[in-house]
Amino acid sequence: MRSRAGLNLQRIRRDKGFSQEELAHWARVHQTCLSGVEDGKRNPSIGVLERVVAALGVGTEEPFRRPRAERR
């Protein structure tokens, strides 16, 4: 789940044209924290996750969705 969430957040961030630094600023998290979350190396707190998805303008379920190729 941690890896999926990180990869999904990274994909969404890139699709929206944000750099990690920009997203970290708007989400009020340190860039190294965001990098660790995207790499699947850090577990974000619920507060951090809420701020990141809010800054991305997506729902809280988005980081946990399976990639389309995995959906049945």
Side-chain angles (χ1 to χ4, degrees), residues 5-67:
L7 289 173
N8 282 339
L9 288 171
Q10 183 181 72
R11 177 186 49 77
I12 296 165
R13 173 182 60 77
R14 288 179 175 170
D15 287 350
K16 292 189 176 268
F18 285 113
S19 69
Q20 277 187 347
E21 293 83 8
E22 290 170 320
L23 179 56
H25 171 76
W26 292 112
R28 300 181 332 268
V29 299
H30 199 278
Q31 187 270 330
T32 56
C33 174
L34 180 59
S35 175
V37 170
E38 286 186 357
D39 289 341
K41 295 177 182 175
R42 288 185 73 131
N43 285 319
S45 68
I46 290 174
V48 166
L49 189 58
E50 286 177 330
R51 292 194 308 269
V52 170
V53 297
L56 288 169
V58 298
T60 55
E61 71 284 352
E62 287 302 313
F64 304 103
R65 289 192 188 273
R66 280 192 235 162

